[in-house]
Amino acid sequence: MFSHCWSLAIEEQFYFVFPSLFMIIMMYARKHNRDHIIGTFIFYNLVFIILIIALPILLKSYFYKFFFWRFFQIFFGGYLAFIYSKRYQKNFVSSKITANTINWIYRIYENSFVSAIALLLFFSIFILNINLTPFNIPIHYYLLTVLGSIIIINAYKGEHILYRVLLSNRKLRYLGKISYGLYLFHFPIFYLKRLNIFNRPTTLTSTIILDIVSILATLTLAILSYELVEKRFLHYKRKLEHSSKINSSASLQVFNEVI
C-alpha cells in the first residue's frame, strides 16, 4: 500500500548525503584552481551516464529503485540551480572560461526554440512511452532528466509568456503546494479501490464513480496534510532561515577562508 514511499526515502537520503559531497568537490576544485563548472559539470554528467550503463548490468531488476543513480537525477536540477545562484557567481566564478561556460548554459536553457524541442522530445519519450533502451541500457532516464531540467528552467527564466501565466496561476500553485500529499496518499487510496472490498460488480459507471471518489479523497487528504501539518513545519523553516541569515555573512567568510 505504501510501496511508493521508496522514492521519498531516496529523496531524504539525497538531502543528507549529496549536498555535502558536492561541496567537498567544489572546495577541491577551487583549492586547485580548476574551472568549477567545466570540470564538475562534465564529470557529473559522465558519471551519471556511466551509472545508467553499468548498474542495469550489475543490479538487473534492482536497478530501478537503486538510490545512487537516482541521486544524480535529483541533483541535476539542484546543480543547475546552483549555477543560477548569485552567491555562486560572486564567490566561485573566477576564470573567464568558466563565466563563458555559464553564459553558454544560460543561452541553451533559456532559449524558446530549445525548450520547444525539449518539450516535444519529453512528451514523445515519457507520455508515449517510447522505448530508448539500446542493448538494455535505459538511456531515456538521462534524457528525461536533461529535457525536464530545460523545460522547468525555461518556464521560470525563459521567454514563454504561456509558461509564466501558468506558473503564476494561484490554483496551479496551490496544487504544487499540496503535491507532496497528493503523491503520498494517492497510491493507498487507489490500492484500496482495486481491492473492491464491497464485492460490487465492476461496471463502467461504478468505475467512473469510484475514480472520482478516489480523486476527491486524495485531494482532501492532501489539503488537510498541507494545512494542518506541512504549514507548521514551513513556519518553523522560515524561523530557522531568519535566524540563519543573521550569521550568514560570518559563515560565508569562514567558508571562504577554509577553501
Side-chain angles (χ1 to χ4, degrees):
M1 186 181 295
F2 289 97
S3 59
H4 66 305
C5 290
W6 66 269
S7 60
L8 299 178
I10 287 178
E11 187 177 348
E12 296 305 319
Q13 293 167 17
F14 167 81
Y15 292 142
F16 279 111
V17 176
F18 239 56
S20 300
L21 179 60
F22 180 71
M23 290 307 298
I24 291 172
I25 294 172
M26 297 301 291
M27 288 163 62
Y28 176 85
R30 184 172 184 180
K31 185 176 181 180
H32 291 78
N33 297 318
R34 298 184 179 181
D35 290 309
H36 322 303
I37 290 298
I38 295 175
T40 56
F41 192 70
I42 293 176
F43 174 77
Y44 169 82
N45 280 274
L46 285 176
V47 172
F48 192 2
I49 294 173
I50 290 171
L51 288 174
I52 288 178
I53 294 173
L55 289 179
I57 300 173
L58 298 173
L59 300 177
K60 301 186 185 315
S61 61
Y62 296 101
F63 163 76
Y64 183 76
K65 295 182 180 180
F66 187 58
F67 70 95
F68 195 60
W69 78 272
R70 290 289 184 179
F71 278 5
F72 279 78
Q73 274 196 314
I74 302 173
F75 194 61
F76 202 93
Y79 195 105
L80 291 169
F82 193 74
I83 293 175
Y84 273 89
S85 168
K86 292 182 180 179
R87 180 171 292 184
Y88 174 85
Q89 297 284 351
K90 181 179 179 181
N91 294 283
F92 283 90
V93 177
S94 56
S95 69
K96 185 177 180 180
I97 191 169
T98 301
N100 290 336
T101 303
I102 291 175
N103 290 330
W104 179 77
I105 293 173
Y106 286 172
R107 285 196 296 271
I108 290 178
Y109 272 80
E110 297 176 17
N111 184 277
S112 299
F113 179 74
V114 173
S115 176
I117 297 296
L119 191 62
L120 178 63
L121 291 175
F122 188 91
F123 178 84
S124 300
I125 297 171
F126 184 74
I127 306 297
L128 300 181
N129 196 26
I130 293 178
N131 188 10
L132 289 175
T133 55
F135 307 105
N136 293 321
I137 298 172
I139 196 66
H140 59 284
Y141 289 125
Y142 176 78
L143 294 176
L144 287 172
T145 303
V146 175
L147 295 173
S149 66
I150 292 175
I151 295 168
I152 292 172
I153 289 182
N154 193 273
Y156 179 71
K157 300 286 289 187
E159 304 167 359
H160 286 289
I161 298 177
L162 179 61
Y163 280 169
R164 294 183 181 179
V165 171
L166 290 174
L167 289 174
S168 62
N169 184 280
R170 294 182 63 182
K171 293 180 180 178
L172 289 178
R173 289 173 64 184
Y174 188 78
L175 196 64
K177 292 178 180 179
I178 65 172
S179 60
Y180 176 82
L182 290 175
Y183 179 78
L184 185 63
F185 295 116
H186 85 281
F187 197 85
I189 288 175
F190 279 85
Y191 176 82
L192 290 173
K193 179 182 79 77
R194 289 199 302 269
L195 290 179
N196 192 16
I197 56 179
F198 298 108
N199 294 320
R200 292 187 175 183
T202 302
T203 63
L204 178 60
T205 303
S206 64
T207 300
I208 293 174
I209 292 174
L210 280 175
D211 284 340
I212 293 174
V213 171
S214 299
I215 292 170
L216 291 176
T218 303
L219 283 169
T220 301
L221 289 175
I223 291 171
L224 290 174
S225 173
Y226 175 72
E227 295 293 341
L228 300 179
V229 180
E230 295 172 45
K231 266 190 173 182
R232 295 188 179 185
F233 283 94
L234 291 172
H235 177 70
Y236 296 143
K237 176 187 173 184
R238 284 190 288 270
K239 276 189 173 182
L240 290 173
E241 288 177 345
H242 177 72
S243 61
S244 65
K245 285 180 181 179
I246 298 175
N247 299 318
S248 61
S249 299
S251 299
L252 183 60
Q253 184 177 355
V254 172
F255 176 76
N256 287 331
E257 289 176 359
V258 170
I259 61 176

